[in-house]
Amino acid sequence: MSHFRAKKLDISCFINIRVIRDHTKRKVFAEHETERQALRYIIRNTTLPQRTRAQAQLELSQMHAYTRPTQIRNRCIEGGKGRGVLGDFRMARYPFRMNALAGNLPGVKKASW
């Protein structure tokens, strides 16, 4: 959502709109994480009155989708791909292979056995 995005965003470091959107989702999730955890604690606490728990559940369901952790997706830092991304290097398979063969990734070498 554009209303979450910063007014002055340096887009030179982003590959495409999907990467910008993922960056926005990560920021919004980090801002609202404590609020979501508090609401989830209230919902799970069976010692509280049912009305309070239901109200917390309603508030949680009305929060924006970008506040959910399932909205965040690992993306390639070179091409912005969302599939086949190696989490440790934040790269897709092919760019990882090219960088590893070129020697740009320290500690990575071609396997031989």
Side-chain angles (χ1 to χ4, degrees):
M1 302 280 315
S2 62
H3 65 276
F4 284 126
R5 202 170 303 140
K7 302 297 181 220
K8 299 272 185 180
L9 184 65
D10 180 27
I11 59 171
S12 63
C13 62
F14 298 111
I15 305 300
N16 55 27
I17 190 67
R18 289 185 204 95
V19 178
I20 294 173
R21 192 177 302 134
D22 188 61
H23 175 74
T24 304
K25 288 177 182 181
R26 287 175 189 273
K27 273 192 353 186
V28 171
F29 171 71
E31 290 172 6
H32 296 282
E33 184 178 13
T34 54
E35 185 181 348
R36 284 186 66 86
Q37 284 179 345
L39 288 172
R40 290 181 60 164
Y41 175 77
I42 291 170
I43 292 167
R44 289 185 178 145
N45 191 350
T46 56
T47 60
L48 293 174
Q50 185 64 30
R51 184 181 180 104
T52 308
R53 294 173 60 203
Q55 188 176 6
Q57 193 168 11
L58 184 66
E59 284 181 40
L60 186 65
S61 66
Q62 288 177 344
M63 289 182 83
H64 196 272
Y66 282 11
T67 61
R68 297 184 198 131
T70 55
Q71 293 287 317
I72 296 172
R73 185 170 185 96
N74 289 336
R75 292 201 164 269
C76 176
I77 56 174
E78 288 196 5
K81 285 185 63 166
R83 291 184 169 220
V85 177
L86 299 165
D88 294 339
F89 298 95
R90 293 184 59 203
M91 282 191 220
R93 295 184 308 258
Y94 190 72
F96 172 78
R97 183 167 190 255
M98 291 296 113
N99 282 318
L101 290 175
N104 297 334
L105 302 175
V108 177
K109 64 178 186 175
K110 191 171 178 180
S112 61
W113 61 92

